[in-house]
Amino acid sequence: MAIRLLLRSHPHRAIALNTPSHTLVIRHSAGSSPEPLPSLSPPGQGHAAARCIVDFSTSDTVDLTDYRPLTPLPVQGTLGLITLDDEVFLCIVTSSTLVATVRPGETVQRINAVDFYCLNKADYDNGTQLAATEALWQDDLDDRRERDQLPEHPCQALQKLLSGGSFYYSADFDLTNRLQDRSAFKVTSDYDSLDEEFLWNSYMIKPLVDFRTRLATHERQALDACRILTSAIRGFAMSIVVPAHSSPVRQRAGLPSNLTLISRLSCRRAGTRFNARGIDDDGNVANFVESETLFWSPAGLCFSYTQVRGSVPIFWEQATGLLPGQQKIQITRSVEATQPAFDKHVEELERNYGAVHILNLLSESKPGEMELTARYRYHVRHSPLTASGPKDLLRETEFDFHAQTKGPSGYEAANIIKWMIRGSTQAFAYYLLETREGNSPVASRMARARPSVVVQQDGVFRTNCLDCLDRTNLIQTMISHAAIEQFFEQRQAKAASDFWMRHSTLWADNGDCLSKIYAGTGALKSSFTRHGKMSLAGALADARKSATRMYINNFADKGRQNLMDLLLGRLVGQLPVHLYDPINDFVNVELNKRAAEYSAPRPATILVGTFNLNGRMEGLHEDLSCWLCPTGRHGPEPDLVAVGFQEIVELSPQHIMSADPTVRQLWEVAVKKTLDEQAKRRGTEEYVLLRSGQLVGAALMVFVKSSALAHIKQVEGSVKKVGPRARSTKHAVTANVLTRFQTGLSGTAGNKGAVAIRMTYADTRICFVTAHLAAGFANYDERNRDYNTISHGLRFQRNYSIDDHDAIIWLGDFNYRIGLGDEKVRKLVQVGDLDHLYENDQLNLQMLAGLAFPFYSEARIMFPPTYRYDLGVDVYDSSYAHAVASMEKHRIPAWCDRVLYKGAGLRQMAYDAAPLRFSDHRPVYALFSIGVLVIDDGLKDRLSQELYRQRRLDVGQATGQLFDEADDDDLIGYEPIAPGLPPASSDRRKWWLENGLPVRSAVAGAAAADANADANANASAATVWLYPGRLSNPFAVSDEPDWAPRSSSVEQ
């Protein structure tokens, strides 16, 4: 959408970003600003943050008569606002280049040029454009003198930094998150889910993003559609087109594929080579980069593989110097003072990526690097992740790069590292989406083609050398090569040499770009990365780069560091701009007060069912009504039905590597048939499949009544894989292919994990999660960790987590066992002593200890253990006797299949198991009632528009015309000094006359009583007094009366 940048000079200077549909207007507020509280002000800060008034309106309601174009250059968005020397500047992207296409509809632009425009002065209207027209000044001395007379633009250095070619943005998708952490199904840029670790204009764009969150939903969507707000990363992004004949993945159309590399540099400990080393107290490390290799094929595949790099995570510094011997390394904290920050760092990596495998490339012969390695090794060994049990969440490989590559083979010898880390490479796997057209009639009826998650990456390599540039980039190239090769091998494909040449070119360019940001020059060893061998010209180029680095690090890095800190808002006394939208802020407050006028509560019923199928298909033709219709004809009929399956397919390499949804779709048909037959018997409407999802062995499907569809929105799905490390060694399989599957594809990763579906029902956010946790009698700690991994790691769009919902229901095979012997459990089941069993139930004990499912509830269990039965009969595992005699493993009956819930509005009405006998588990169901708040969006919008129009009349001028006759303080208003009190008044705003509140409270009964006092001896009974139960704060909203009749009973 085309964006015009317009300026209005009088009566108030204002800048407008105008699109054909909407206009964003910003002007500086010259009104007085209250002094900040001393305790809240940064050192040396003597004034409050700059204030601006902002308005977002449809273009046809904004009078642009007095506006003129501010620049002839095309405007592609804004990076935000920044204050320098009490002047507020708006940063505009004026030039960019398309550099990457991840998949159709997902493009990445490199920022080539930006300009800064002042909101409160006209002095700099042409200031930063001088760089773009520098050539025109060279031959004209008079023009040069004229240029010298212009004031120096305060943002000139910032403009040079942002226009340097290392910043990227996308108007199509969230570039700050890797593919695995954003939606696989929706190609869109979402400002609610941006990862601030990689958002380099976070400080500048935050005021505008905060303003966006205060807008009504339709206005927020309109602002997003205008693509005015721009989120930028720093690092590298590039795509290379792979012709069909060079692509290892064959497809019929003969269309080219895309190979993409995106590197996101963290801004949390941003800096230059000798100014930012090591770790900080929050666990952030210098030069931390997340690099993601992506391969998209028209065959419907999208591959993603992520690895990270970062400075050695201990507290250390390195002095600058013109000679190598002067650049001494100094460790600045003891091991005891370092361990907490180290633990924060690796635990954050584990939360974000899964298991962590450290590759330390430091030298074993250089004194400084030897000391860093020894300290690094100490902290790894003392990390809680290392001591967390058999999962092996943190491991380290030390690889002296220089020693390994000094022989005749040169850098080629570094390839040995691929064999040293092969186990982790296979265990971590990769992220793969596959889009398949339905081949079966079931598929064609049930769903359109959409991406399915085939495999998730569940671990990350963290590579470092001293600078995390040259050696690191070469090793990361090899790791990326190994991951892609593993993907191709598992699809029986092989890449040709020209494909790998394109891959090497991407990584060489990546190394150069990241090195320029941190050290000031391109990467060393890039000749080998690019061509696979080191040439004489490459060696000479490396020598030249080393000399240039030395000069830049000694004489230019301090200024570069200060410039980064300025961009990120980290200088002393730096405050973000405060944006005010007076009318919308007022309307939002009033809408909340009058919520009862457009909303009403509505009761709803939810049925959830969970069933571990053990890979069996016989139940497709059985009557499922005992499980899915437990209330019969006369009980409450559910509005929503959520059904979770585990082991919906047998665990095999074929099912792990295939996203074929046919089996799930067959069960969708069977479930819907059962629900609809019951609805027909009741004479009610049928059900609709709202959404389903699958992570190979686990599947979740949600059905709703047709009438409920009008109240349901924001339906999303997500998956999370858990537990590959330990379980990859627990299932010994003789077949070589399955053994390779277990180690190379994260053990039983396809069979353990979670599928979640969220929605907003009316105004209530509901989340269903079906999970299959770690097996094994004694593995309750592992199950607890699986729960935490899912609870904290599963993310929906806009970065919604499971806990960001009003009602949450977990259902599945959680695999918690009963902590008693097999014989005793069977006897207690036989006599019906379920309470004794529940007292020893592992899940019950872990919940009581707060180690799993905190704040969740479970109804009392009144049914026998649901696992493990012989097929077809109500007999627990009859192999028990044989197992005891032969010392083989046997299964103790347990309540593996459970339903847990959390939410103030949820009330459980039923909880039981159903007698379906074709699996070794018994299915479980639970029935809930919930009160949802139904909002009449049309009525709310009409009320909003009415309040908006009235408020415009009250303030005198529309915000689109910038309140020419209004005082800024009257528009912005004052904050109340305490919650519940009105804001301070002004000449235009009087709280006692707003919202229909009278100045005083009239009492008609008292006046009438006084008038007739002489005529009526009982007049005292009609008098009133102040109601003693009223709130102490007279401005608080309350249903209690101010006055109450005075009676003898009250007096007594």
Side-chain angles (χ1 to χ4, degrees):
M1 186 176 291
I3 303 174
R4 295 191 302 156
L5 188 67
L6 307 176
L7 172 69
R8 179 183 177 184
S9 300
H10 301 287
H12 294 288
R13 180 177 171 85
I15 293 178
L17 289 158
N18 171 252
T19 71
S21 61
H22 289 77
T23 299
L24 181 72
V25 182
I26 308 174
R27 82 163 170 91
H28 181 255
S29 171
S32 59
S33 298
E35 290 296 322
L37 295 174
S39 61
L40 300 178
S41 303
Q45 180 68 24
H47 56 277
R51 301 193 302 179
C52 293
I53 297 176
V54 62
D55 175 64
F56 181 69
S57 305
T58 56
S59 295
D60 56 2
T61 63
V62 180
D63 184 3
L64 299 175
T65 306
D66 297 330
Y67 286 81
R68 63 176 176 84
L70 187 54
T71 173
L73 299 176
V75 173
Q76 300 174 21
T78 175
L79 293 176
L81 297 155
I82 193 168
T83 304
L84 291 174
D85 300 328
D86 296 324
E87 294 161 356
V88 183
F89 294 91
L90 180 68
C91 181
I92 299 295
V93 179
T94 57
S95 176
S96 65
T97 302
L98 175 65
V99 293
T101 301
V102 177
R103 50 181 177 160
E106 290 188 352
T107 61
V108 181
Q109 305 278 337
R110 182 181 62 227
I111 297 175
N112 295 330
V114 301
D115 277 322
F116 287 84
Y117 295 96
C118 188
L119 285 169
N120 52 336
K121 279 188 179 180
D123 298 353
Y124 312 113
D125 282 356
N126 298 311
T128 55
Q129 295 183 34
L130 295 175
T133 57
E134 186 72 26
L136 301 177
W137 296 87
Q138 298 300 322
D139 300 325
D140 194 324
L141 195 58
D142 292 337
D143 285 347
R144 180 176 289 184
R145 292 194 188 100
E146 181 180 345
R147 181 186 64 175
D148 292 341
Q149 293 173 3
L150 291 174
E152 181 179 352
H153 200 292
C155 300
Q156 207 159 29
L158 270 181
Q159 184 211 23
K160 183 177 180 181
L161 173 66
L162 291 169
S163 304
S166 61
F167 290 88
Y168 301 82
Y169 75 93
S170 175
D172 305 319
F173 69 101
D174 178 8
L175 189 55
T176 66
N177 279 294
R178 59 177 177 156
L179 180 62
Q180 183 165 328
D181 292 336
R182 55 187 175 88
S183 172
F185 313 113
K186 186 178 178 183
V187 179
T188 182
S189 182
D190 197 336
Y191 299 98
D192 295 319
S193 61
L194 297 175
D195 188 344
E196 291 196 7
E197 178 171 9
F198 303 114
L199 183 63
W200 271 72
N201 64 322
S202 173
Y203 171 75
M204 294 198 300
I205 201 68
K206 189 177 188 303
L208 287 167
V209 172
D210 290 343
F211 159 72
R212 173 189 171 276
T213 61
R214 299 195 298 268
L215 294 175
T217 302
H218 67 279
E219 292 179 318
R220 193 181 311 134
Q221 293 171 348
L223 180 59
D224 293 347
C226 292
R227 298 187 173 185
I228 291 176
L229 307 187
T230 303
S231 54
I233 67 165
R234 194 178 193 194
F236 175 79
M238 181 180 288
S239 287
I240 292 182
V241 175
V242 181
H245 63 82
S246 298
S247 175
V249 179
R250 302 301 178 187
Q251 33 85 25
R252 298 177 183 175
L255 299 174
S257 305
N258 286 340
L259 182 63
T260 304
L261 178 59
I262 300 174
S263 286
R264 306 170 182 92
L265 175 63
S266 172
C267 60
R268 288 182 176 167
R269 187 162 168 75
T272 54
R273 188 182 180 196
F274 288 99
N275 290 290
R277 292 288 205 192
I279 198 170
D280 65 16
D281 289 292
D282 294 321
N284 304 310
V285 296
N287 202 22
F288 182 83
V289 182
E290 176 189 87
S291 295
E292 181 181 16
T293 307
L294 300 115
F295 176 75
W296 174 83
S297 167
L301 298 174
C302 192
F303 162 94
S304 166
Y305 187 79
T306 302
Q307 49 187 318
V308 298
R309 66 175 76 181
S311 187
V312 177
I314 63 175
F315 293 94
W316 62 284
E317 299 172 356
Q318 188 175 19
T320 58
L322 294 176
L323 299 176
Q326 297 174 337
Q327 300 170 356
K328 295 188 178 298
I329 294 172
Q330 179 183 5
I331 297 177
T332 58
R333 290 199 195 179
S334 65
V335 293
E336 296 81 6
T338 301
Q339 192 70 47
F342 179 91
D343 293 342
K344 287 180 184 178
H345 175 68
V346 295
E347 287 169 4
E348 179 72 10
L349 289 178
E350 194 272 334
R351 278 193 297 271
N352 292 336
Y353 304 103
V356 182
H357 190 144
I358 294 169
L359 298 180
N360 180 14
L361 310 180
L362 293 177
S363 171
E364 296 177 357
S365 57
K366 296 182 179 179
E369 295 190 19
M370 288 173 58
E371 188 178 0
L372 286 177
T373 295
R375 180 66 72 85
Y376 201 174
R377 187 187 306 125
Y378 174 89
H379 291 299
V380 168
R381 291 176 179 174
H382 289 78
S383 167
L385 295 185
T386 306
S388 61
K391 276 202 170 185
D392 200 11
L393 294 174
L394 181 65
R395 65 170 61 179
E396 181 189 24
T397 296
E398 295 175 4
F399 183 81
D400 186 343
F401 182 90
H402 288 149
Q404 294 287 342
T405 58
K406 68 180 181 181
S409 299
Y411 297 144
E412 184 70 28
N415 276 299
I416 193 177
I417 198 169
K418 291 196 289 188
W419 296 98
M420 296 172 65
I421 62 173
R422 187 179 182 185
S424 291
T425 303
Q426 294 176 334
F428 292 167
Y430 44 80
Y431 183 71
L432 181 63
L433 288 175
E434 184 171 5
T435 304
R436 282 196 176 193
E437 296 288 348
N439 297 322
S440 67
V442 173
S444 61
R445 289 198 306 268
M446 298 301 296
R448 296 175 296 174
R450 63 185 304 154
S452 297
V453 178
V454 180
V455 181
Q456 283 192 323
Q457 184 178 344
D458 202 39
V460 70
F461 286 104
R462 185 202 188 278
T463 309
N464 72 272
C465 52
L466 194 65
D467 298 322
C468 302
L469 295 176
D470 316 315
R471 290 174 275 181
T472 296
N473 196 71
L474 196 151
I475 294 299
Q476 285 196 324
T477 305
M478 296 176 178
I479 296 173
S480 175
H481 185 289
I484 299 176
E485 199 168 43
Q486 176 185 346
F487 162 59
F488 289 154
E489 285 178 358
Q490 288 163 350
R491 301 193 72 86
Q492 290 80 47
K494 187 175 182 179
S497 59
D498 57 344
F499 176 89
W500 295 121
M501 186 61 67
R502 290 178 172 88
H503 176 266
S504 299
T505 299
L506 278 177
W507 275 95
D509 291 342
N510 174 73
D512 285 340
C513 195
L514 295 177
S515 182
K516 288 175 183 175
I517 295 171
Y518 191 59
T521 72
L524 308 183
K525 307 173 181 64
S526 59
S527 176
F528 178 83
T529 304
R530 196 177 302 275
H531 304 294
K533 59 182 180 179
M534 196 66 182
S535 63
L536 177 60
L540 294 175
D542 284 355
R544 184 178 66 253
K545 291 173 185 176
S546 297
T548 306
R549 277 186 187 181
M550 192 173 300
Y551 172 83
I552 292 174
N553 299 156
N554 281 274
F555 301 108
D557 272 359
K558 185 175 181 180
R560 294 172 63 222
Q561 181 70 51
N562 289 336
L563 198 56
M564 289 187 204
D565 291 337
L566 173 65
L567 173 66
L568 298 171
R570 294 175 182 167
L571 296 181
V572 174
Q574 209 176 347
L575 292 174
V577 176
H578 283 184
L579 290 182
Y580 296 88
D581 179 15
I583 291 184
N584 273 316
D585 290 348
F586 172 83
V587 169
N588 288 334
V589 171
E590 289 302 305
L591 281 175
N592 289 333
K593 291 180 181 178
R594 300 171 64 175
E597 298 181 27
Y598 55 83
S599 63
R602 167 180 172 167
T605 304
I606 301 174
L607 173 72
V608 299
T610 178
F611 198 175
N612 186 317
L613 295 172
N614 193 26
R616 309 191 73 86
M617 303 282 289
E618 295 92 328
L620 286 169
H621 308 293
E622 288 198 19
D623 181 8
L624 305 178
S625 59
C626 61
W627 174 42
L628 300 175
C629 307
T631 60
R633 292 189 181 185
H634 307 293
E637 187 176 27
D639 300 280
L640 278 76
V641 178
V643 180
F645 291 108
Q646 304 81 45
E647 297 187 34
I648 196 171
V649 294
E650 293 183 3
L651 184 61
S652 67
Q654 177 184 358
H655 288 129
I656 285 292
M657 290 309 301
S658 172
D660 188 358
T662 302
V663 175
R664 185 192 78 232
Q665 290 166 351
L666 290 171
W667 279 106
E668 289 168 3
V669 171
V671 171
K672 187 177 186 301
K673 178 182 177 182
T674 302
L675 296 174
D676 287 345
E677 287 176 351
Q678 179 66 19
K680 185 177 180 180
R681 287 191 289 268
R682 286 174 174 261
T684 58
E685 58 190 320
E686 294 186 346
Y687 285 86
V688 175
L689 175 61
L690 182 67
R691 177 155 185 161
S692 63
Q694 182 177 349
L695 182 62
V696 185
L700 178 64
M701 51 198 72
V702 177
F703 300 84
V704 300
K705 282 289 188 180
S706 302
S707 59
L709 283 175
H711 304 293
I712 294 177
K713 54 188 177 182
Q714 297 174 351
V715 181
E716 303 169 22
S718 185
V719 297
K720 182 66 179 177
K721 184 177 63 177
V722 296
R725 274 75 58 188
R727 291 195 287 273
S728 62
T729 62
K730 291 182 181 178
H731 301 270
V733 181
T734 29
N736 180 59
V737 63
L738 190 51
T739 303
R740 181 178 178 186
F741 150 70
Q742 289 180 319
T743 57
L745 285 180
S746 305
T748 58
N751 201 36
K752 297 297 186 290
V755 183
I757 294 176
R758 72 168 303 272
M759 69 191 71
T760 300
Y761 186 3
D763 200 40
T764 301
R765 297 167 301 175
I766 301 175
C767 181
F768 299 103
V769 185
T770 187
H772 196 184
L773 306 185
F777 181 86
N779 289 340
Y780 52 85
D781 283 337
E782 192 172 345
R783 289 187 275 275
N784 295 346
R785 183 178 287 277
D786 285 350
Y787 159 75
N788 286 310
T789 299
I790 296 168
S791 179
H792 296 99
L794 190 145
R795 285 291 186 271
F796 299 96
Q797 296 174 28
R798 296 177 295 280
N799 206 32
Y800 267 110
S801 68
I802 293 174
D803 283 337
D804 292 329
H805 293 83
D806 305 307
I808 308 165
I809 300 177
W810 285 67
L811 55 145
D813 180 359
F814 301 154
N815 258 320
Y816 286 92
R817 308 304 170 93
I818 296 172
L820 297 172
D822 187 276
E823 186 174 350
K824 186 169 185 179
V825 169
R826 292 171 186 257
K827 288 182 178 179
L828 290 171
V829 172
Q830 187 175 5
V831 299
D833 192 355
L834 301 183
D835 290 341
H836 191 177
L837 291 176
Y838 188 69
E839 290 173 0
N840 293 275
D841 176 70
Q842 290 178 349
L843 178 56
N844 175 40
L845 296 174
Q846 296 303 303
M847 291 175 67
L848 289 174
L851 300 176
F853 296 94
F855 308 110
Y856 282 86
S857 300
E858 182 181 26
R860 184 179 179 185
I861 297 180
M862 303 295 290
F863 50 89
T866 57
Y867 176 79
R868 176 183 186 185
Y869 286 91
D870 287 344
L871 298 180
V873 294
D874 289 328
V875 177
Y876 289 109
D877 190 5
S878 60
S879 63
Y880 164 69
H882 172 74
V884 171
S886 61
M887 300 302 291
E888 292 181 4
K889 185 177 182 180
H890 59 276
R891 309 291 186 180
I892 301 174
W895 284 301
C896 291
D897 310 280
R898 313 287 276 268
V899 176
L900 306 178
Y901 67 96
K902 179 170 69 173
L906 279 174
R907 185 174 67 86
Q908 188 161 353
M909 299 185 292
Y911 190 30
D912 206 346
L916 295 177
R917 301 178 178 87
F918 58 85
S919 172
D920 57 358
H921 289 251
R922 292 292 179 265
V924 171
Y925 66 86
L927 194 67
F928 297 90
S929 66
I930 184 173
V932 297
L933 192 65
V934 178
I935 293 178
D936 186 333
D937 291 323
L939 182 57
K940 181 180 179 182
D941 288 343
R942 289 193 295 272
L943 180 59
S944 175
Q945 293 170 10
E946 178 186 337
L947 290 169
Y948 192 88
R949 286 193 298 267
Q950 184 60 46
R951 189 59 178 169
R952 279 185 180 272
L953 293 175
D954 290 344
V955 299
Q957 290 283 346
T959 52
Q961 299 179 23
L962 299 172
F963 309 98
D964 297 340
E965 299 175 2
D967 181 75
D968 287 351
D969 288 335
D970 290 330
L971 294 172
I972 295 172
Y974 298 96
E975 296 296 325
I977 61 174
L981 293 179
S985 62
S986 68
D987 290 340
R988 297 175 61 88
R989 296 186 62 183
K990 301 175 176 61
W991 54 261
W992 59 88
L993 296 179
E994 292 182 353
N995 306 323
L997 295 177
V999 177
R1000 63 183 62 183
S1001 181
V1003 187
D1010 292 341
N1012 299 311
D1014 295 335
N1016 190 352
N1018 296 323
S1020 60
T1023 59
V1024 297
W1025 63 359
L1026 283 173
Y1027 177 56
R1030 70 189 186 281
L1031 298 178
S1032 59
N1033 178 5
F1035 309 109
V1037 178
S1038 173
D1039 294 332
E1040 300 292 347
D1042 291 335
W1043 304 93
R1046 182 168 181 169
S1047 65
S1048 57
S1049 61
V1050 173
E1051 291 175 358
Q1052 292 174 0

